[in-house]
């Protein structure tokens, strides 16, 4: 059963989750536009940069497996805020890292706690928001992606260009402390999932989740969506600067336009998904996403305005399909196992993210002039995974209608 919240409490609940998600998303997203700066600072290529991005994802995958053994045993608010505090410390450690290896270690620690947070946020939406409004709620929380691209990424890049690559991580740690205080004030306690019934053993809930065929279908669907996006996303900025001819100082404009557009579209897509059907809206948005995905990975030297049209369309549609998709995924879980399921889903998504980033890093390379070679092939791989997810979504049963 969903926890009943008053309209005002629900609004503060979702906005607070969006704020926490903002810190978490910005911490992950900032690595992509920092690519050219970090590659120059450490003297590394696309392979090493791909591993630096993937270290966060693989650590999040491991933490998701561990979290699945205990996440449904604790009250949601307390577990989220403890994970958030540790995440803030790990992000600060990124800003203080003296070199490439220590930065990779700090990124791994941030991934450990970020993975738990990501799963808990969507679990709490499923616990507290009725099915009929769940896609809209996901849209509000997903607006954190938009706000991070509108304000967070450009500000972080401005700081990086003027104060060095460490400054953005210190800024994100400061944001995290602020939203931690807000979370203490506005998040309700969620303990309805707690049961008097004792578990047979530590992994019993995990086995229960993995023993359900519908859960497995939802997890595969989740992996396909993430894989199709993160073969392309980590290298967009490097490709834009090295191949398309976008000036490094114009990169914040790209994220400003993309973020502003997704801020508007996320709310609309969430509303449409609740009104017209989550599966139908997902299919249409995901199908439309294939066009900018192909164009973006095949672009030559373009003026800034043409790149803005393509990259903004990519941001809107690639992130937009996640709104109905996450509502579908969260609603496929049995309510009493939702925390465990979403932790495992976080693991699956993180593994897909890490594998996609690593695979793309090996499919592409830098030629003698510094241009990326092999990006079109990455685009074809992403389209294939996206089309497979579109075909697969109808096989998932959503239990949430009856909560």
């Amino acid at each position: 059963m969903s926890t009943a919240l008053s309209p005002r409490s629900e609004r503060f609940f979702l906005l607070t989750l969006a704020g926490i998600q903002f810190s978490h998303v910005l911490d992950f997203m900032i690595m992509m536009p920092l690519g050219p700066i970090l590659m120059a600072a450490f003297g590394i290529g696309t392979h090493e940069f791909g591993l630096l991005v993937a270290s966060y994802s693989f650590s999040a995958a491991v933490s998701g497996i561990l979290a699945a053994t205990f996440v449904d045993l604790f009250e949601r608010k307390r577990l989220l805020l403890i994970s958030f505090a540790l995440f803030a410390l790990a992000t600060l450690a990124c800003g203080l890292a003296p070199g490439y290896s220590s930065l990779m270690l700090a990124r791994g620690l941030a991934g450990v706690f970020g993975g738990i947070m990501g799963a808990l946020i969507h679990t709490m939406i499923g616990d507290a928001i009725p099915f009929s409004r769940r896609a809209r709620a996901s849209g509000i929380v997903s607006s954190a992606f938009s706000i991070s691209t509108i304000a967070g990424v450009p500000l972080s890049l401005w700081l990086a260009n003027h104060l060095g690559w460490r400054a953005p991580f210190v800024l994100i740690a400061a944001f995290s402390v602020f939203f931690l205080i807000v979370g203490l004030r506005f998040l309700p306690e969620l303990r309805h999932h707690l049961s008097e019934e004792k578990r047979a053993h530590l992994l019993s809930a995990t086995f229960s989740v993995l023993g359900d065929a519908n859960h497995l279908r939802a997890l595969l669907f989740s992996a396909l969506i993430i894989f199709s996006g993160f073969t392309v996303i980590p290298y967009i900025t490097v490709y834009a600067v090295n191949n398309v001819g976008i000036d490094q100082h114009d990169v914040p404009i790209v994220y400003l336009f993309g973020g502003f557009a997704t801020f508007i579209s996320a709310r609309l897509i969430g509303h449409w998904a609740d009104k017209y059907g989550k599966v139908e809206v997902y299919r249409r948005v995901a199908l439309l996403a294939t066009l900018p995905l192909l164009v973006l990975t095949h672009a030559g030297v373009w003026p800034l305005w043409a790149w803005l049209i393509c990259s903004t369309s990519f941001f809107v549609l690639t992130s937009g399909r996640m709104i109905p998709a996450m509502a579908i995924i969260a609603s496929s879980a049995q309510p009493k196992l939702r925390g465990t399921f979403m932790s495992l889903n976080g693991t699956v998504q993180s593994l897909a993210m890490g594998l996609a980033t690593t695979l793309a890093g090996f499919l592409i390379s830098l030629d003698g002039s510094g241009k990326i070679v092999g990006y079109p092939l990455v685009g074809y791989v992403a389209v294939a995974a996206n089309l497979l997810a579109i075909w697969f979504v109808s096989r998932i049963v959503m239990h949430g209608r009856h909560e």
Side-chain angles (χ1 to χ4, degrees):
M1 293 291 292
S2 297
T3 300
L5 297 175
S6 68
R8 182 176 182 274
S9 297
E10 183 176 309
R11 186 162 58 251
F12 280 121
F13 170 70
L14 292 174
L15 290 174
T16 303
L17 288 183
I20 295 172
Q21 185 83 325
F22 167 81
S23 304
H24 166 46
V25 168
L26 180 59
D27 179 73
F28 180 76
M29 279 187 59
I30 194 60
M31 288 299 292
M32 276 70 91
L34 281 179
I37 297 173
L38 290 171
M39 288 168 71
F42 295 122
I44 57 176
T46 56
H47 305 329
E48 292 84 0
F49 175 66
L51 291 173
L52 190 59
V53 175
S55 64
Y56 184 103
S57 303
F58 287 132
S59 296
V62 172
S63 73
I65 294 173
L66 295 175
T69 66
F70 63 78
V71 70
D72 280 326
L73 297 176
F74 296 96
E75 190 274 319
R76 308 285 195 210
K77 174 181 177 178
R78 180 177 299 180
L79 188 56
L80 175 63
L81 294 182
I82 290 172
S83 300
F84 193 25
L86 294 170
F87 164 83
L89 288 173
T91 300
L92 180 61
C94 293
L96 301 176
Y100 175 79
S101 299
S102 54
L103 178 59
M104 182 176 286
L105 177 61
R107 295 304 298 156
L109 287 173
V112 167
F113 304 115
I116 297 173
M117 285 164 51
L120 273 171
I121 286 169
H122 288 287
T123 300
M124 291 171 76
I125 293 172
D127 282 348
I129 307 299
F131 178 82
S132 60
R133 299 198 302 276
R134 203 166 286 163
R136 175 183 169 274
S138 293
I140 292 172
V141 174
S142 295
S143 65
F145 170 85
S146 311
I147 296 169
S148 69
T149 51
I150 293 170
V153 171
L155 176 60
S156 297
L157 284 174
W158 183 85
L159 288 172
N161 286 328
H162 290 83
L163 300 176
W165 62 265
R166 301 175 188 278
F169 295 109
V170 177
L171 175 69
I172 295 165
F175 279 141
S176 299
V177 172
F178 171 76
F179 287 118
L180 185 65
I181 295 168
V182 173
L184 284 166
R185 169 68 179 83
F186 289 109
L187 287 179
E189 289 194 354
L190 296 173
R191 55 177 69 252
H192 292 278
H193 61 286
L194 298 175
S195 173
E196 297 288 333
E197 183 182 346
K198 297 290 184 183
R199 290 187 179 183
H201 51 81
L202 197 61
L203 295 175
S204 58
T206 302
F207 290 152
S208 295
V209 168
L210 297 178
D212 186 309
N214 191 56
H215 289 164
L216 295 179
R217 289 192 293 269
L219 292 173
L220 177 57
F221 169 65
S222 182
L224 288 170
I225 297 172
I226 295 297
F227 188 88
S228 67
F230 276 86
T231 43
V232 173
I233 290 170
Y235 304 97
I236 286 178
T237 302
V238 179
Y239 186 77
V241 172
N242 293 19
N243 291 53
V244 182
I246 305 301
D247 189 271
Q248 176 66 40
H249 290 88
D250 288 333
V251 170
I253 298 174
V254 175
Y255 284 88
L256 184 67
F257 271 73
F260 184 75
T262 53
F263 181 72
I264 297 170
S265 64
R267 303 288 290 272
L268 289 173
I269 292 170
H271 172 73
W272 292 335
D274 284 333
K275 185 174 182 180
Y276 300 111
K278 296 166 179 60
V279 171
E280 184 63 26
V281 170
Y282 163 75
R283 278 177 166 162
R284 294 189 181 194
V285 176
L287 196 58
L288 286 172
T290 57
L291 182 59
L293 200 160
L294 282 173
V295 173
L296 184 142
T297 52
H298 287 73
V301 177
W302 282 4
L304 179 61
W305 64 266
W307 181 255
L308 286 175
I309 292 173
C310 183
S311 61
T312 300
S313 301
F314 176 83
F315 280 132
V316 166
L317 295 170
T318 301
S319 64
R321 69 200 172 128
M322 289 300 298
I323 294 165
M326 285 309 298
I328 292 167
I329 292 164
S331 301
S332 71
Q334 298 175 31
K336 67 178 181 178
L337 295 171
R338 185 174 284 129
T340 302
F341 172 82
M342 293 305 292
S343 292
L344 290 172
N345 179 65
T347 292
V348 167
Q349 288 189 340
S350 297
L351 279 174
M353 207 177 288
L355 289 171
T357 303
T358 305
L359 173 64
F362 283 97
L363 289 177
I364 63 176
S365 59
L366 296 176
D367 64 15
S369 63
K371 293 187 182 298
I372 286 184
V373 179
Y375 209 40
L377 176 59
V378 170
Y380 294 133
V381 172
V383 167
N386 188 45
L387 293 175
L388 192 56
I390 293 170
W391 170 78
F392 197 73
V393 67
S394 62
R395 303 186 64 185
I396 299 168
V397 177
M398 289 180 282
H399 301 299
R401 291 186 180 91
H402 308 299
E403 290 182 59

